[in-house]
Amino acid sequence: MISIKALEEKILKEGQVLPGNVLKVGSFLNQQIDTAFLKEMGKEIARLFGGSGVTKILTVEASGIAIAVAAAFEMEVPVVFAKKGGAKNMSNDRLCAEVKSFTKGTVNTISVDREFIKEQDKLLIIDDFLADGNALRGLLSIANQAKATVIGACTAIEKGFQGGGDALRSEGIRVESLAILDEMADGKIKFRLQNDVM
Amino acid sequence: MISIKALEEKILKEGQVLPGNVLKVGSFLNQQIDTAFLKEMGKEIARLFGGSGVTKILTVEASGIAIAVAAAFEMEVPVVFAKKGGAKNMSNDRLCAEVKSFTKGTVNTISVDREFIKEQDKLLIIDDFLADGNALRGLLSIANQAKATVIGACTAIEKGFQGGGDALRSEGIRVESLAILDEMADGKIKFRLQNDVM
């Protein structure tokens, strides 16, 4: 099982703080994937949300897919990932939401074929990063349009100082993050103390 | 272990042939992911390329990531995925290639941080679909720029009638696909007989 400490140490060791509050963790999470570490993160998500009746994991392409698959292998549920933009192999009957990307500075429409999320689904929403919370809100909107139940949301790394996670929590949504950064000023990282996460 | 027959049956049962030679397998591969089935595909890729010294799996976002991660879990190697477009968390020192998307009809620049592919790497290139072979050629170009060795390429579903896979094979590259469709006319699917794939 991953300990929160292992992820925090990895962020401190391999993460790079770039200008504009961008944290680069490309060496293990969202460009190169440390597979053994990813598997441990999947186990920790399964521990946090096991027994809560999750029927499906919902994420958004691209970098949410790896951690969603790792968790889904442990929880033995399917993954659905929302797509950005359009393609020939998409149906017209889609659930859509607008999402602003913090790292790209663009607004994307994300969408899921309506057939893949049903009213009886109990969803766990997963993403790699939580900053302003825009991606999670887009996925919540899609879940709500499908009238599915949202059990909660889980991300690998939350930039707590941007407030997106706490805003969602204050609205009564269970949001877990394997590591929460409360400060990232001048390249110095300070983590939030958490009791739930191991 | 997945049998080629299981994947072929899944394509026949759940796949939809759309106009313009588009095969939609969103129900289990590239929108919704059948996690148990994905795990079996990963095992089959590990069986095909096990013992060939692969040090890293290279894929491209977005729908290549899931199958690359599934194979990487079995082979216990890291995954690197090429990104499309630009973002604030990317470095300037990147290996780039142009790729035309068959399903989207657009040309994308895909790129990988140079630090993640080294000359000593022995790469297995993985993607979900192989049609014209443009994505594989883009990834091969990136591997060649890094002077890495390419052990081979593996895709889940190859549209053999588009010729991309056979062209690469004729150039001496080992290309495996878990299922090869040699015909898809009028919505009727005919698979190629393969000896290597189980």
Side-chain angles (χ1 to χ4, degrees), chain A residues 32-33 35 56 77 79 81, chain B residues 31-33 35 56 77 79:
Chain A
Q32 180 164 252
I33 297 165
T35 316
K56 205 168 266 192
V77 294
V79 171
F81 61 92
Chain B
Q31 163 105 211
Q32 180 165 250
I33 297 165
T35 315
K56 206 168 265 189
V77 294
V79 171

Side-chain angles (χ1 to χ4, degrees), chain A residues 115-190:
Chain A
E115 62 177 310
F116 299 133
I117 305 183
K118 301 294 185 196
E119 199 171 335
Q120 59 269 33
D121 272 320
K122 296 183 177 179
L123 301 175
L124 171 59
I125 296 175
I126 288 186
D127 206 359
D128 57 341
F129 261 93
L130 169 49
D132 296 331
N134 294 327
L136 290 191
R137 285 188 189 278
L139 293 168
L140 279 166
S141 163
I142 285 173
N144 290 338
Q145 289 170 55
K147 296 182 183 151
T149 304
V150 174
I151 300 285
C154 192
T155 73
I157 301 174
E158 176 178 342
K159 294 197 279 185
F161 57 88
Q162 284 186 240
D166 289 334
L168 287 161
R169 290 181 188 104
S170 74
E171 294 165 30
I173 296 158
R174 181 180 174 196
V175 180
E176 305 277 359
S177 295
L178 304 186
I180 303 179
L181 283 69
D182 269 342
E183 276 183 50
M184 213 171 77
D186 306 321
K188 286 207 181 100
I189 288 171
K190 196 179 154 188

Side-chain angles (χ1 to χ4, degrees), chain A residues 16 18-20 22-24 26-36 38-39 56 61-63 65-66 69-70 72-74 76-91 94 102-105 111-113 115-117 129, chain B residues 16 18-20 22-24 26-36 38-39 56 61-63 65-66 69-70 72-74 76-91 94 102-105 111-113 115-117 129:
Chain A
Q16 291 172 263
L18 304 183
V22 171
L23 176 68
K24 189 180 166 191
S27 67
F28 67 94
L29 188 59
N30 55 15
Q31 164 106 210
Q32 180 164 252
I33 297 165
D34 179 331
T35 316
L38 181 73
K39 191 176 267 187
K56 205 168 266 192
E61 66 179 20
S63 47
I65 295 174
V69 164
F73 276 157
E74 300 297 328
E76 299 184 341
V77 294
V79 171
V80 173
F81 61 92
K83 298 202 174 194
K84 295 169 183 166
K88 286 188 207 166
N89 56 356
M90 290 184 185
S91 81
R94 304 182 67 76
F102 176 74
T103 39
K104 294 199 184 187
S111 68
V112 173
D113 266 355
E115 62 177 310
F116 299 133
I117 305 183
F129 261 93
Chain B
Q16 289 173 264
L18 305 184
V22 172
L23 176 67
K24 189 181 167 191
S27 68
F28 67 95
L29 187 60
N30 55 14
Q31 163 105 211
Q32 180 165 250
I33 297 165
D34 180 329
T35 315
L38 181 73
K39 192 176 268 188
K56 206 168 265 189
E61 66 179 21
S63 46
I65 295 175
V69 164
F73 277 157
E74 301 297 328
E76 299 184 340
V77 294
V79 171
V80 172
F81 62 93
K83 297 201 174 195
K84 295 169 183 166
K88 286 188 210 168
N89 55 357
M90 289 185 185
S91 81
R94 303 183 68 75
F102 176 75
T103 39
K104 295 197 182 188
S111 68
V112 173
D113 265 354
E115 62 177 310
F116 298 135
I117 306 183
F129 261 94

Side-chain angles (χ1 to χ4, degrees), chain B:
Chain B
M1 199 86 70
I2 192 181
S3 69
I4 181 173
K5 217 157 172 56
L7 178 56
E8 290 182 352
E9 279 167 7
K10 211 158 171 81
I11 293 168
L12 290 176
K13 195 178 157 201
E14 300 185 28
Q16 289 173 264
V17 179
L18 305 184
N21 278 338
V22 172
L23 176 67
K24 189 181 167 191
V25 288
S27 68
F28 67 95
L29 187 60
N30 55 14
Q31 163 105 211
Q32 180 165 250
I33 297 165
D34 180 329
T35 315
F37 199 78
L38 181 73
K39 192 176 268 188
E40 294 304 311
M41 288 197 284
K43 284 182 187 167
E44 173 64 2
I45 295 171
R47 190 189 67 79
L48 286 165
F49 286 92
S52 55
V54 171
T55 62
K56 206 168 265 189
I57 289 173
L58 176 64
T59 187
V60 58
E61 66 179 21
S63 46
I65 295 175
I67 187 163
V69 164
F73 277 157
E74 301 297 328
M75 299 176 76
E76 299 184 340
V77 294
V79 171
V80 172
F81 62 93
K83 297 201 174 195
K84 295 169 183 166
K88 286 188 210 168
N89 55 357
M90 289 185 185
S91 81
N92 294 324
D93 192 15
R94 303 183 68 75
L95 306 165
C96 298
E98 302 275 303
V99 173
K100 191 175 171 208
S101 162
F102 176 75
T103 39
K104 295 197 182 188
T106 52
V107 176
N108 274 301
T109 300
I110 64 169
S111 68
V112 173
D113 265 354
R114 187 181 293 270
E115 62 177 310
F116 298 135
I117 306 183
K118 301 292 184 197
E119 199 170 334
Q120 59 267 34
D121 272 321
K122 297 184 176 178
L123 301 174
L124 171 60
I125 296 175
I126 288 187
D127 206 0
D128 57 341
F129 261 94
L130 168 50
D132 295 331
N134 295 327
L136 290 191
R137 285 188 188 276
L139 293 168
L140 279 167
S141 162
I142 284 173
N144 291 338
Q145 290 170 53
K147 297 181 183 152
T149 305
V150 174
I151 300 285
C154 192
T155 73
I157 301 174
E158 175 178 344
K159 294 197 279 184
F161 57 89
Q162 286 186 237
D166 289 334
L168 287 161
R169 289 181 189 103
S170 73
E171 294 166 30
I173 296 159
R174 180 179 175 195
V175 180
E176 304 278 359
S177 295
L178 304 186
I180 303 179
L181 283 68
D182 269 341
E183 276 184 48
M184 214 170 77
D186 306 320
K188 285 204 182 104
I189 289 171
K190 197 179 153 188
F191 294 101
R192 185 181 301 183
L193 220 60
Q194 296 190 85
N195 294 322
D196 287 354
V197 180
M198 278 178 86

